[in-house]
Amino acid sequence: MFTFKKCILPAAALLLLCSCQQSSTKNGQNKPMETAQMPNSDNFKATVNGKQVQLYTISNGQMKAAITNSGGRLVSLFVPDSSGKMVDVVLGYNHLKDYETYTKNGSYFGALIGRYGNRIAKGKFTLDGKTYSLPINNAPNSLHGGPKGFSTQVWDVVKTSPNSIELHYLSKDGEEGYPGNLNVNVTYTLTNDHALQIAYKATTDKATVLNLTNHSYFNLNGDGGTVNNHKLQLNASRFTPVDSTLIPTGKLEPVAGTPFDFTKPEIIGSRIDAKNQQLMYGKGYDHNFVLDTKVKGEHLAATVWGDKSGIEMQVYTDQPGIQFYGGNFMEGGDKGKSGSPYEKRTALCLETQHFPDSPNQPQFPTTTLKPGETFNSVTSYKFVMNK
Ligand code: GLA
């Protein structure tokens, strides 16, 4: 028997479904549509070392980010591409446990790095006449704060707001070989001018060395595919060449006339196979660039363009250097957020920083932090919209 309920309601539901699908296909003229999904926050709920881990979502209306207090990681960063489609521009996983399982690729994905980002030669440095020994986790050097660096720690969540989250970590005196109780606060904010801003603050009770950064792996086309066709510009006319173990030789060399010249926009892969000893040492780009700083405070350090998405990202920082790492050590074998493996050079990192091995290179800007001083630094990943 014909009833209103049996016939009209299903028809109305069908109509509603069609109109939703239609508004997605009309995307570009209408509201932005999301292709990738935010990871399920349930997959990030855990108690680690007695601390609660969760996934937090922040938004500024046009962009959305997911951050977990495990390693202070940026898990997802959605920005609209030139047609309004929402693209997740950072690599990561759908489950907290994947970050532990896929240590080869994923151990630093999106993570906060400390106490010392990048390498310290042979894991040794001397401060105020005392020599400190750090664990060697990237033989023969110590990398990214050691095997139990900040990327492996659970951060305390101090404050959240719709567009920001503040994290805190107390790195105890002697942790991973570094002196001093170091209190670090990091605030991620999605600003009104389309930026993911990362603000770092640190104090210590004993002289120590410090180099804080974020290790996000960007692919401006979204998940999968090489970044070799992305374009890159670096505001750096010099870089710090390295030895075969990726420790700076101590010289600042001009990039002019070398594959390291990104002072004008260049396709990343265009010179990557050039016969060049520095490229051989890094297995591609894995070098610190000396930023041409003309103003105090945040300045434009780098610009990247996604070749397929048209997304343009600008990196601003007040730090003296930026590590351009082209994903040379990525190996596949894992499953990323979209299910595809993260193969060699499917992402790039632009780690704003002090120069690697500064504690052993007195001619480099100092990385020493003393009691009574406050380290403050800001880096912003800003997206150019409505072109
Ligand atoms: C940094 C280093 C690279 C590599 C990555 C992580 O960028 O410079 O050599 O260790 O981190 O894989």
Side-chain angles (χ1 to χ4, degrees), residues 236-237 255-264 266 271 285 289:
S237 47
V255 294
T258 77
F260 291 83
D261 190 351
F262 285 94
T263 52
K264 293 194 190 72
E266 290 283 353
R271 299 161 298 175
Y285 294 105
F289 287 74

Side-chain angles (χ1 to χ4, degrees), residues 64-323:
K64 261 201 294 184
I67 289 143
T68 173
N69 55 322
S70 164
R73 286 174 197 272
L74 176 67
V75 173
S76 282
L77 179 61
F78 285 91
V79 301
D81 72 4
S82 42
S83 69
K85 189 175 84 183
M86 295 301 276
V87 177
D88 189 354
V89 294
V90 293
L91 270 48
Y93 301 112
N94 278 323
H95 291 262
L96 181 64
K97 61 174 169 34
D98 290 346
Y99 286 92
E100 285 157 26
T101 311
Y102 299 129
T103 44
K104 272 260 153 114
N105 264 354
S107 48
Y108 301 119
F109 276 7
L112 293 175
I113 304 292
R115 189 174 299 200
Y116 198 95
N118 213 284
R119 294 173 178 79
I120 294 185
K122 303 197 168 60
K124 284 213 181 328
F125 69 94
T126 302
L127 187 60
D128 295 337
K130 192 169 169 197
T131 298
Y132 295 91
S133 289
L134 313 171
I136 306 298
N137 57 339
N138 187 245
N141 305 314
S142 186
L143 175 68
H144 292 331
K148 291 187 188 136
F150 294 2
S151 57
T152 70
Q153 303 295 342
V154 179
W155 291 61
D156 314 309
V157 178
V158 180
K159 254 200 319 253
T160 60
S161 81
N163 71 330
S164 72
I165 178 166
E166 181 179 352
L167 304 172
H168 165 262
Y169 180 62
L170 166 63
S171 169
K172 296 217 173 109
D173 188 12
E175 185 182 270
E176 294 296 84
Y178 292 93
N181 289 297
L182 185 83
N183 274 291
V184 187
N185 285 60
V186 177
T187 306
Y188 286 99
T189 307
L190 285 176
T191 67
N192 287 335
D193 61 348
H194 321 305
L196 174 72
Q197 182 195 71
I198 311 177
Y200 303 85
K201 185 178 167 186
T203 53
T204 182
D205 61 1
K206 263 188 206 168
T208 188
V209 295
L210 180 72
N211 195 17
L212 300 175
T213 193
N214 173 279
H215 210 309
S216 285
Y217 283 64
F218 293 96
N219 183 321
L220 299 190
N221 293 335
D223 205 15
T226 169
V227 291
N228 281 344
N229 291 323
H230 280 40
K231 261 192 204 153
L232 173 69
Q233 182 169 20
L234 293 172
N235 182 19
S237 47
R238 291 171 301 168
F239 77 121
T240 50
V242 288
D243 67 14
S244 62
T245 73
L246 301 184
I247 293 294
T249 60
K251 290 191 196 130
L252 309 186
E253 277 184 8
V255 294
T258 77
F260 291 83
D261 190 351
F262 285 94
T263 52
K264 293 194 190 72
E266 290 283 353
I267 292 172
I268 288 174
S270 67
R271 299 161 298 175
I272 210 161
D273 295 319
K275 262 200 156 185
N276 176 290
Q277 191 169 53
Q278 285 299 311
L279 285 176
M280 275 166 61
Y281 285 158
K283 301 198 165 39
Y285 294 105
D286 191 2
H287 294 78
N288 171 64
F289 287 74
V290 179
L291 293 170
D292 295 333
T293 311
K294 292 189 188 81
V295 285
K296 240 191 158 207
E298 266 192 290
H299 55 271
L300 182 64
T303 310
V304 195
W305 293 266
D307 49 303
K308 293 182 199 149
S309 63
I311 291 176
E312 175 179 344
M313 179 177 82
Q314 302 171 339
V315 186
Y316 291 81
T317 189
D318 51 16
Q319 292 292 285
I322 195 163
Q323 184 83 10

